[in-house]
Amino acid sequence: MSSRETILQRLRNRTGGELTAPECDFSVLKRPDWSTAERIELFEKTIESVHGEVHRCTEDTWIGRLAELLATRGARNLLVPKEHEIGLSLRSAVERESLPSLLIYDEPIESWQTALFNDVDAGITSTRGGIAETGSLILWPNADEPRLMSLVPPVHVAVLYAKEIYTTFHEAMLAQNWAAGMPTNALLVSGPSKTADIEQTLAYGVHGPKELIVLIIE
């Protein structure tokens, strides 16, 4: 019998009966029942502390606000989802003339990789929710909104509904029943891309978007 088998056998022969898994205790993760307004305020404070930018909008004003923000940055184009409501709304918006050229991510990356990495100024995606305590966005990329949409363009615009801001990550997982299944790639985004060298000099946008703009729809 090997040493490993000897140790396992001793564990099996332990006194005190059969081992059982302890009950899960997540009480340390519970927070007060905050209102939506309190969650928005905390989310805004935490994500802005890491250079995220937040703008509060409504269903009627978010496209106009988006056009203003992109205009101030001189964005020539905006990468939008083909099928998601965000992309559909932008393509049919009356403010279409004030928006930059809209690009649709509807072909394999191999066919337009050079253009994506060199010529796209901004991308917009939906979110699955936000986490107020950490100022994080929850993104579940899919074929309509692949991960590169939020990773490659220098400006990432994320649309977040106020009602989908949770206090903690644990609360979000429970509310959305993550235990029932998750995608291959789930993202938590807290601010723009940040990189620090050995001298602790912080640089933005080296390995991802240089700017993160969150449009909170109330």
Side-chain angles (χ1 to χ4, degrees), residues 79-98:
L79 187 60
V80 305
K82 179 181 180 181
E83 299 177 358
H84 193 279
E85 185 61 32
I86 290 174
L88 298 177
S89 297
L90 286 169
R91 295 202 295 278
S92 62
V94 295
E95 302 95 333
R96 177 69 181 271
E97 292 183 357
S98 59

Side-chain angles (χ1 to χ4, degrees), residues 11 19-20 28 36 39 68 75 81 88 104 122 126 134 140 183 213:
L11 291 173
L19 289 173
T20 58
V28 69
T36 299
R39 294 179 184 188
E68 294 172 0
L88 298 177
I104 299 174
S126 64
T134 58
W140 281 23
I213 301 171

Side-chain angles (χ1 to χ4, degrees), residues 124-201:
I124 186 169
T125 70
S126 64
T127 61
R128 191 176 172 86
I131 303 170
E133 195 172 60
T134 58
S136 304
L137 298 169
I138 303 170
L139 273 63
W140 281 23
N142 54 32
D144 190 41
E145 294 181 308
R147 184 182 178 187
L148 291 178
M149 283 188 69
S150 63
L151 185 64
V152 175
V155 178
H156 175 208
V157 183
V159 177
L160 172 64
Y161 283 90
K163 63 184 179 183
E164 295 176 342
I165 297 178
Y166 304 93
T167 303
T168 65
F169 184 36
H170 183 246
E171 181 184 329
M173 289 192 295
L174 291 179
Q176 298 181 353
N177 193 24
W178 286 30
M182 292 178 61
T184 303
N185 198 351
L187 306 178
L188 295 178
V189 179
S190 300
S193 170
K194 297 176 283 292
T195 304
D197 62 16
I198 196 170
E199 296 180 344
Q200 298 185 355
T201 301

Side-chain angles (χ1 to χ4, degrees), residues 28-46:
V28 69
L29 300 176
K30 294 187 181 300
R31 299 291 185 272
D33 188 18
W34 291 353
S35 67
T36 299
E38 290 173 318
R39 294 179 184 188
I40 294 174
E41 184 177 353
L42 179 59
F43 176 86
E44 189 172 356
K45 178 181 178 181
T46 49

Side-chain angles (χ1 to χ4, degrees), residues 95-116:
E95 302 95 333
R96 177 69 181 271
E97 292 183 357
S98 59
L99 290 167
S101 175
L102 300 182
L103 307 175
I104 299 174
Y105 199 133
D106 60 352
E107 56 183 303
I109 179 62
E110 292 80 8
S111 64
W112 74 306
Q113 182 173 351
T114 301
L116 173 61

